[in-house]
Amino acid sequence: MPTGPDPATVERPAAPDRLPLRRRLLPVLALLLIAPWAAECSWGGFAIDGFLPVVIGLAPMYGGAAILIRETARRLGAGWPTIVLLAAAFGVLQAGLVDQSLFNPGYLDDTQYADTRAAAEATLVPGLGFSLRQAFDYVGNHILLTVCAPIVFVESFLGARRRLRPWLGRPGLAVVAVVYLLGSLLVFTSPEGRKNFLASPLQLAFAGTVILVLVGVALLPRWRHPRPRPTDPSSAGRTRRARRAPHPLWAALLIILARFGTDLTPGWAGVAIALALAAAVGGLIAYLSGRDGWGQRHVLAAGSASVVSAAAFAYLVPPYSPASPAAALAGDIAVSVVTVALVGGAWWRLSRASPDGAQGWSRAEPA
C-alpha cells in the first residue's frame, strides 16, 4: 500500500516568470507600495501629508513581508490557506516582536487613540499581559489589509498564467528578505517604532511559539497537494450535478459581515463573538471555494470588501496624530480615490482577461 502521494498528482513548485526584468519587477514594486498604504492609510490612520512618509518608511517591512509571503506560497504551489496563515504569523511577529505593541499597554497613549486603552485592558490575558481584543484587531488587520488584499489586487492585474507563478528568483528573494529585515530593525530600534518598550522573556517566548506554530501549519504539505477524488465503482453510469459557487458578491458580503460584526460588544463577550464570526466566515469561504466556478473574481470580491469596508470608516475615525480639519478631510478623500482606483482598476483588468478557471481555497491552480 502506498504511504505517500502519487507523484503524478503532486504539483511541482512553479518556476519564476521568464520575462524581461522590468515586467517581473513591476508587480513586486506595486505590492511593495500597496501593502503599507492598505495597512496604515486605507482606514484613515493618517492625514494627507502623512501618506508618502508612511508608504516609503513602512514599505520595506510591510511590503517586504507581503512579497515574501506571496512568493513562498506560489513557489510551493500552495493556495490561500498558506498565505492567510503566514500573514497571521507576520501579524504576531510585527505586533509581538518588532514594535511590541501587543504587549505595551501605553503604545497608543501618545496618539488620538489613547482612550481605547481601558477597553483593551478589559480583555487582558492573565500571566501574559496582552489584550486579546487588540491581538485580534492587530493580527486580523495584518491578514486582511497588509497581506491578503494587496496580493489580491496585484494578482488581479496580471494574466491568469502569471497570477500564480513566482515573480522573483533566489537573488531577488534574498534582496527582499534583507530589505524586510532592515525595515523591521529600523522600527525595532526607533523611538517611534517600539517606543522604548521591551516585552518580558515570557511574552517574547509566547509570541515566538505562536509564530512557529502558524508557520509550521502554513507549510503543511496538504495545502500543496491536490486532493484526488475517489471513484466509486457503484456510481458508474450515474451523474451528479456539481454544486456551483455562489455569485462573487456573496464572498464580499461575508467579509463585510465579519468586519462589522466583530465590534458588536466590548469585553470578553465581544472577543468571543469576533473569534466565532471570523472562524465561521473563514470556514464558509473555504467550503464555498471548493465548488465549481470559484475563481479570481470571488477572491477579488473578498479582497475588495476588506479595503472598501476599511475605507468607509476613514471619515469617522481620527488620524493617529492631530491634524487640521482640511488635512484630515483631504486624507479621507484621498483614501476614497485610491480605493476606487485599486478596486475599479483590478475589476476592469480582470474583466478584460480571458475567463479564469476555478481556484480552490485549499490548493493553487495549475499554472
Side-chain angles (χ1 to χ4, degrees), residues 201-341:
L202 176 61
Q203 291 172 327
L204 296 176
F206 171 77
T209 301
V210 173
I211 293 167
L212 290 176
V213 170
L214 288 170
V215 171
V217 176
L219 300 181
L220 287 176
R222 64 168 298 169
W223 308 128
R224 305 196 297 271
H225 297 165
R227 298 175 184 174
R229 298 180 179 178
T231 301
D232 183 3
S234 64
S235 65
R238 292 185 298 170
T239 60
R240 184 179 63 181
R241 186 176 182 180
R243 292 186 177 182
R244 296 287 299 175
H247 191 278
L249 180 61
W250 285 103
L253 291 177
L254 287 173
I255 295 297
I256 293 174
L257 173 65
R259 287 191 65 88
F260 288 122
T262 54
D263 295 319
L264 292 177
T265 182
W268 287 103
V271 173
I273 293 174
L275 290 172
L277 189 57
V281 169
L284 183 56
I285 289 179
Y287 168 73
L288 294 176
S289 69
R291 292 186 174 185
D292 290 344
W294 183 279
Q296 186 64 20
R297 287 173 176 80
H298 295 81
V299 178
L300 179 55
S304 299
S306 300
V307 176
V308 170
S309 59
F313 279 99
Y315 294 89
L316 304 177
V317 301
Y320 281 119
S321 301
S324 67
L329 179 59
D332 297 339
I333 294 174
V335 166
S336 298
V337 171
V338 175
T339 300
V340 170

Side-chain angles (χ1 to χ4, degrees), residues 12-25:
R12 297 175 181 175
D17 284 331
R18 300 303 180 186
L19 294 172
L21 182 63
R22 177 181 61 84
R23 291 191 62 188
R24 283 188 285 129
L25 290 183

Side-chain angles (χ1 to χ4, degrees), residues 111-203:
T111 72
Q112 295 198 92
Y113 292 89
D115 58 350
T116 63
R117 180 170 180 173
E121 290 180 344
T123 58
L124 283 178
V125 177
L128 291 173
F130 73 91
S131 167
L132 192 58
R133 172 79 254 183
Q134 283 187 333
F136 179 85
D137 292 339
Y138 291 165
V139 177
N141 282 336
H142 279 308
I143 293 173
L144 293 177
L145 297 179
T146 307
V147 178
C148 290
I151 292 175
V152 169
F153 286 138
V154 177
E155 289 189 344
S156 295
F157 273 93
L158 302 177
R161 184 168 183 81
R162 292 189 64 199
R163 189 172 299 141
L164 300 179
R165 298 186 71 86
W167 299 331
L168 297 171
R170 291 181 179 178
L173 285 175
V175 170
V176 173
V178 171
V179 168
Y180 166 72
L181 291 175
L182 291 177
S184 299
L185 181 62
L186 178 63
V187 170
F188 180 80
T189 57
S190 170
E192 295 80 16
R194 189 166 48 88
K195 300 186 177 181
N196 299 316
F197 173 85
L198 187 63
S200 69
L202 176 61
Q203 291 172 327

